[in-house]
Amino acid sequence: MSLEIIFLIIYFIAMAGIGFWAMKKGQQDSEGFLLGGRSIGPGVTALRLQSSSMSGYMFMGAGSLGYTQGYFGMWYALGDLGGGILNLSVLGRRMRKLSQILGSITSIEYLEHRYPSKWIRLIAAPVALFCMFFYVLAQFIAGGRGLEMVTGVSFPVALAIAIGVIVLYTFLGGYLAVAYTDFVQAIIMVVGMVWILIATLIAIGGFTKGNEAIGAINPNMLTMWGADLGFQGQWGVIIGALLVFSIGYMGWPHVVVSHMAMKKPSVARTAGAYSLIFNLLFIPGPYLVGMFALILLPNLANPETAIFEVADAVLPTFAVGIVMAAIMAAIMSTADALLLQAGTIASQDIYARFINKKMSDGQMVWVSRITVLALALIGFAIAAFEPPAVAAIVIFSTTVLGSAFVPAYVCAVWWKKANTVGAISSMIAGTAVSVLWQVSGAPEATGIDPMVTGILASTAAMIIGSLASQANHPVPERIVRALDETAKIGPIPTKMLIGQDALLAGQAEMAGRNE
Amino acid sequence: MFGLPTFTTVVILGVPALWVIYTAVFMWLSRGWKREDVEDNR
C-alpha cells in the first residue's frame, strides 16, 4: 500500500473520530443538532465558514482556470478573498441575533420567519435543494478524480468510494460534528496548499522566473484578460467573476447558517479577521499552482488535474499524501455542509413544515438521511456516466444561489420595509434571470455574467415588490420590533425571545393561522 | 514587477490591499461590540 493511501486512510479515520467526539459532546435537541446549540466561537465559525465555501473547485476548477487562462482566473480569487469578511461584517451579528429572536433553527426557516408566508419556504427550499444537488455533485466528481489519481483505480470505482466516505461521514450527523471537522479540515487545507505552492515556486526557480517562463509560452497569460485576450474590456464577465465568490456567499444557505450557530453575535467581529487571514493564505495558491503547471507539465490532457499532477511531480511521497488529504478536506468539508443542509431542508423545511407537522426528532433524522442517500445515488448515476466539468457546475449553482438569496438575506436584517412580496419576487426573479441568462447563451452574446444580471434582477424585484406592496402587506409589528432590537448593541431582552413574550407569541400564532 | 505587466501587478496587489483596509475599518467600527459580551457574561 502506498504512503499516499495510508495518509488518506489516517485522515478519514481522524475525521470520523472528530465527528464521533463532536456528536457525543453536542446537545440532542433540534437546536443542538442543527445549530450546535449556538455554541460556536470565532475560530471555528471563521474556518467552518471558509472551508465549507472553498470546495473541490479550488483544487480542480481554480487550477484549471489558472492553467488555461493564466492571471484572468485571479479575478475570481480577488473577489473570493473578501467573501468571508463581507459575509460576517454585513450579516454575521444581525443574523445571529434576529434568528434567535425569531426562534429560527434553519436558514430557510429563518427566511419564512422574517418574511411570514409559507410561500417563502415553498419557493426557497426547492431552489436551494436544486442548486445544492449540483454543487454537491461537483464535490463527488472532484473526490472521485482525486482518489482515481492517488489509488489508480477506475473513475467509477473511485467515485463510489469518495461518495461512500462522504455520505458515511455526514451520517455522523449534526452541525457540531460538521463545524469541528470543517475547522480541522480548513487547517489541513491551508497547510497543504501553502506547502504545494512553496514546492512549486522552488521547482520553477521563484515567482518572477515562473512568470517570465509563462510569458515565454504565452505572454497573454500574464494579463488579466485571458489566454487569447478574449476578456479584454469584458467588464460584465469580470464584475461577475468578482461578485460570485464575494457577495455571492451571502446567499448560500449552507454558509449563512454559520452566523446562526455563533456563540454570541459579537463572534462575527473576530471571525471576520480570522477569515481574511485564512483567505490570504489559501486562495491565491490554487490559481498560481495551476498556472505554473504549464511550465512543469505543459501537455496535460485534463487541466482539472493540474494541481494533483503538480503535487505528484514536486513533492516527496509522504507530502503528496498530506496534500491529497488537503484536497479531500476541501471536498469533504463542502460536501458535508451541503448534505447536512440539504437533509435539513428536506426534513425540517419541507417534510415537517408541510407534510408531517408532528414529526418526532427521530423521524426528522431519518428523512434527512434518506434525502442524503437519494442525492448520493442520483449524483453517482450522473457523475459515473457523464461527469460534467467541476468548475462549470460550481460556478453555475453558486451563481443561482447567490442571485436568488443575497437580497433576501441582506434586506432581512438591514431594511425594515423588506416584506414578503418583495422577498418572493426577489427569489423568483434572481433564480429565473440567472438560469435563463445562462442557458440561453446570453453571457457569450452580451459579455455579461449571469451573476450580474441575476443579482440586479433580484435586488430590483426586492425593492419594487416591497415598496409597491407596503399598503397591503406591511411588515408585521413583531418583526419591526425584532429588527429594532437587532440593530442595537446589547444582549437580547428575555421578553423578546419568541414564546417568552406574550405579544410576540400571540402575533406569531395569528400569523400562522392566517397563512 | 515580478515579471508581470503593470496592470496585473496593480490589480493582484491592490484588490487584496482593499480587503485588508475594509477589514481594518470593520474592526474599528465594531469595537463597541465588546459591550455586548460584557453584558452577556455578567
Side-chain angles (χ1 to χ4, degrees):
Chain A
M1 188 183 287
S2 75
L3 215 51
E4 292 104 312
I5 297 174
I6 293 171
F7 264 106
L8 275 180
I9 291 172
I10 293 171
Y11 165 70
F12 287 148
I13 293 171
M15 288 304 103
I18 294 166
F20 273 117
W21 170 79
M23 192 172 63
K24 295 279 180 198
K25 185 175 177 281
Q27 301 162 16
Q28 299 306 312
D29 60 4
S30 52
E31 188 170 89
F33 184 78
L34 297 173
L35 291 179
R38 298 192 202 256
S39 64
I40 311 295
V44 177
T45 295
L47 297 197
R48 187 267 155 185
L49 186 135
Q50 292 307 143
S51 65
S52 58
S53 312
M54 310 288 161
S55 62
Y57 164 82
M58 293 305 288
F59 286 92
M60 296 185 72
S64 169
L65 210 52
Y67 192 87
T68 55
Q69 298 292 347
Y71 275 91
F72 167 76
M74 292 300 281
W75 288 117
Y76 289 91
L78 293 170
D80 208 353
L81 285 176
I85 180 67
L86 204 59
N87 206 333
L88 284 154
S89 61
V90 173
L91 291 183
R93 191 188 73 81
R94 289 181 178 232
M95 187 167 171
R96 164 65 174 79
K97 211 167 170 180
L98 186 61
S99 68
Q100 190 173 6
I101 293 173
L102 298 178
S104 316
I105 55 172
T106 79
S107 46
I108 301 293
E109 180 184 60
Y110 164 79
L111 287 178
E112 186 187 357
H113 287 169
R114 167 61 182 82
Y115 307 108
S117 165
K118 67 180 175 189
W119 288 102
I120 290 287
R121 216 184 300 216
L122 274 173
I123 294 164
V127 170
L129 261 185
F130 173 81
C131 294
M132 283 179 179
F133 169 71
F134 282 101
Y135 198 3
V136 86
L137 175 68
Q139 308 316 305
F140 289 162
I141 296 168
R145 290 270 182 239
L147 279 183
E148 182 189 21
M149 287 281 303
V150 176
T151 61
V153 299
S154 67
F155 176 68
V157 175
L159 185 71
I161 296 170
I163 292 177
V165 170
I166 293 168
V167 169
L168 185 71
Y169 165 78
T170 308
F171 265 33
L172 291 173
Y175 185 87
L176 206 61
V178 166
Y180 278 101
T181 48
D182 284 3
F183 171 74
V184 175
Q185 291 180 121
I187 293 169
I188 295 171
M189 284 161 64
V190 168
V191 170
M193 196 64 246
V194 170
W195 200 335
I196 189 173
L197 178 61
I198 291 170
T200 305
L201 290 174
I202 291 169
I204 60 173
F207 187 55
T208 303
K209 283 200 171 168
N211 286 328
E212 287 166 357
I214 294 285
I217 297 167
N218 179 359
N220 295 341
M221 300 285 272
L222 300 180
T223 73
M224 301 299 289
W225 315 120
D228 57 359
L229 301 181
F231 296 103
Q232 193 157 24
Q234 299 281 318
W235 289 102
V237 175
I238 290 164
I239 291 170
L242 283 167
L243 291 182
V244 68
F245 296 139
S246 54
I247 71 167
Y249 283 153
M250 291 191 284
W252 299 3
H254 66 289
V255 171
V256 295
V257 73
S258 301
H259 306 320
M260 296 165 63
M262 292 189 299
K263 189 193 295 181
K264 296 170 185 172
S266 62
V267 161
R269 182 172 185 266
T270 318
Y274 289 162
S275 75
L276 183 75
I277 294 167
F278 173 90
N279 287 352
L280 288 171
L281 287 172
F282 179 76
I283 289 172
Y287 294 91
L288 292 173
V289 171
M291 192 173 59
F292 292 136
L294 264 178
I295 305 166
L296 300 167
L297 306 157
N299 299 310
L300 276 181
N302 181 2
E304 288 205 330
T305 62
I307 292 178
F308 298 92
E309 299 279 7
V310 169
D312 220 19
V314 301
L315 293 173
T317 311
F318 77 95
V320 174
I322 294 172
V323 170
M324 287 302 167
I327 294 168
M328 290 308 290
I331 294 164
M332 285 169 55
S333 59
T334 302
D336 62 18
L338 285 164
L339 286 175
L340 180 69
Q341 192 65 35
T344 302
I345 290 171
S347 60
Q348 283 283 121
D349 295 319
I350 298 176
Y351 194 77
R353 175 69 178 82
F354 299 108
I355 300 168
N356 181 2
K357 292 188 179 179
K358 291 180 180 171
M359 187 168 68
S360 67
D361 279 358
Q363 286 172 308
M364 185 199 82
V365 170
W366 274 108
V367 173
S368 176
R369 284 179 172 164
I370 290 167
T371 307
V372 168
L373 262 185
L375 291 178
L377 289 173
I378 299 168
F380 177 79
I382 295 174
F385 298 107
E386 191 66 45
V390 169
I393 317 176
V394 168
I395 291 174
F396 177 71
S397 55
T398 53
T399 292
V400 178
L401 276 178
S403 301
F405 294 116
V406 166
Y409 280 115
V410 173
C411 294
V413 290
W414 284 100
W415 193 33
K416 281 187 203 170
K417 288 188 175 177
N419 67 4
T420 305
V421 176
I424 290 174
S425 315
S426 173
M427 288 190 295
I428 293 174
T431 306
V433 170
S434 58
V435 171
L436 291 175
W437 197 263
Q438 182 72 43
V439 298
S440 66
E444 292 75 27
T446 61
I448 300 174
D449 191 273
M451 186 74 193
V452 176
T453 51
I455 283 277
L456 284 176
S458 57
T459 305
M462 171 62 90
I463 295 168
I464 295 167
S466 294
L467 292 179
S469 61
Q470 284 295 307
N472 297 329
H473 295 86
V475 178
E477 177 59 23
R478 65 193 168 90
I479 304 289
V480 175
R481 283 177 49 201
L483 286 170
D484 286 338
E485 188 55 43
T486 299
K488 289 181 197 163
I489 306 291
I492 304 166
T494 311
K495 63 174 185 171
M496 287 295 292
L497 295 172
I498 203 157
Q500 293 171 357
D501 178 325
L503 179 63
L504 279 177
Q507 287 183 349
E509 202 179 320
M510 284 291 286
R513 271 193 225 140
N514 291 338
E515 281 164 12
Chain B
M1 198 189 285
F2 306 123
L4 293 169
T6 307
F7 182 74
T8 305
T9 310
V10 169
V11 171
I12 66 165
L13 295 180
V15 178
L18 288 176
W19 286 123
V20 171
I21 293 166
Y22 177 90
T23 306
V25 171
F26 167 64
M27 294 300 280
W28 171 254
L29 294 176
S30 61
R31 66 195 184 285
W33 290 8
K34 285 176 186 167
R35 273 188 291 131
E36 212 156 34
D37 293 347
V38 174
E39 294 278 337
D40 219 20
N41 292 336
R42 194 173 55 188

